[in-house]
Amino acid sequence: TINQVGSLYMQSMCEQISNHFETTIDLRLSQVNALMESTTPENVDKLQLWRRMERNAKDCGFTHLALLSRDGNFEMIYGNRIEIVDPAPYLGSLNAGERKVALGLDNEGNYVVLMGVSCNYPMENGQVCTALVAGLPVSYINEALSLNISGAQSYSFIIRKDGSFVLRTDDVIRGNYFDRVLDLYEDAGNKTPEQYLQELKHAIEVEGDYSASLKMSGVRRHMFCTKLSYSEWYLLTF
């Protein structure tokens, strides 16, 4: 009964966080879309266009703004040069006309959340871009979702399909959650850590929800996993 109640509670909490994520990202993507609508390229000098777009983007709090080509090259409007950490799914979605969020890395080693909206502005190299991309510090997601509240009895990770971290509660995004399972977990209810990991990977592959009871450092915790909208990311709440 305790396990059933815990599972239902964690499902509800995870749904609240994922719904908040969807609302937050949808707002930011709408702001990027509004930048395009307010700065159409017809009959406007390109430099003047970029300055206007930069001003509007900074008013929204974005730290980076760039055009992105279909093959993944950025033309920076402002901000440090960036690259996409996991480019294939991000480019695939943007090239298909979708709105998408991904993780980037700037040339100073800082991680950036990339908000991409499909568009067709001309680029310096003569190509037409596939998207306008605006960036925010990765800490923005942590703060917006309140993932790292001191003294809280719950915490969350955001990971990719391969287990690599997008965000952890201590803002450390390097490393791999799957490795952590094998190194630190004592059991997963009536399953071994290896069995739990196999089931979790399958749920992620089919984009389904998953819950489990886990034991680590002598403490029993409930976990719930769900896919996050606009991304290739998965939310794990404990």
Side-chain angles (χ1 to χ4, degrees):
T1 300
I2 290 174
N3 285 337
Q4 290 175 344
V5 171
S7 180
L8 290 172
Y9 173 78
M10 292 309 302
Q11 180 177 1
S12 175
M13 177 176 291
C14 203
E15 287 177 350
Q16 290 181 36
I17 297 173
S18 62
N19 288 339
H20 184 35
F21 175 89
E22 181 176 6
T23 301
T24 300
I25 298 302
D26 185 64
L27 171 63
R28 285 301 191 170
L29 290 170
S30 296
Q31 289 176 332
V32 179
N33 193 71
L35 293 176
M36 296 187 300
E37 293 178 348
S38 64
T39 50
T40 55
E42 291 83 2
N43 302 319
V44 178
D45 176 77
K46 184 175 181 179
L47 182 58
Q48 180 183 352
L49 175 67
W50 280 184
R51 285 176 176 171
R52 184 190 308 168
M53 191 175 286
E54 176 180 351
R55 183 173 61 251
N56 292 340
K58 286 181 176 178
D59 286 343
C60 294
F62 292 116
T63 55
H64 300 72
L65 192 67
L67 301 181
L68 178 64
S69 69
R70 293 185 65 85
D71 57 1
N73 293 314
F74 284 103
E75 179 183 322
M76 301 304 301
I77 297 175
Y78 76 89
N80 293 333
R81 180 156 294 280
I82 49 179
E83 61 181 32
I84 309 165
V85 173
D86 186 18
Y90 192 56
L91 287 172
S93 295
L94 293 175
N95 289 341
E98 300 174 15
R99 304 193 301 172
K100 198 79 169 185
V101 60
L103 193 66
L105 186 67
D106 72 13
N107 57 6
E108 294 185 353
N110 302 308
Y111 284 94
V112 182
V113 178
L114 304 177
M115 312 280 181
V117 176
S118 295
C119 67
N120 55 0
Y121 285 110
M123 302 181 71
E124 290 286 355
N125 58 9
Q127 294 181 346
V128 175
C129 73
T130 192
L132 178 67
V133 177
L136 289 165
V138 71
S139 58
Y140 171 80
I141 298 294
N142 197 340
E143 295 165 2
L145 301 185
S146 301
L147 297 182
N148 196 19
I149 300 176
S150 178
Q153 295 188 27
S154 64
Y155 59 91
S156 298
F157 297 154
I158 298 177
I159 64 172
R160 301 185 192 85
K161 283 186 176 182
D162 62 0
S164 58
F165 286 107
V166 174
L167 188 68
R168 286 167 53 177
T169 49
D170 55 4
D171 275 353
V172 177
I173 55 183
R174 293 179 176 85
N176 190 289
Y177 173 70
F178 296 160
D179 295 338
R180 179 185 175 91
V181 169
L182 299 177
D183 290 342
L184 299 178
Y185 286 21
E186 298 167 23
D187 67 60
N190 59 351
K191 308 180 186 71
T192 65
E194 290 80 6
Q195 289 171 324
Y196 156 74
L197 196 54
Q198 184 177 9
E199 292 182 0
L200 176 61
K201 288 180 178 179
H202 175 71
I204 288 175
E205 188 63 33
V206 299
E207 300 184 358
D209 294 342
Y210 180 74
S211 64
S213 175
L214 311 166
K215 189 176 183 181
M216 184 174 65
S217 302
V219 178
R220 177 72 58 188
R221 291 188 177 274
H222 293 276
M223 186 280 294
F224 196 89
C225 172
T226 194
K227 190 176 188 297
L228 292 171
S229 302
Y230 298 115
S231 72
E232 300 294 322
W233 302 345
Y234 295 81
L235 175 71
L236 276 64
T237 298
F238 298 81

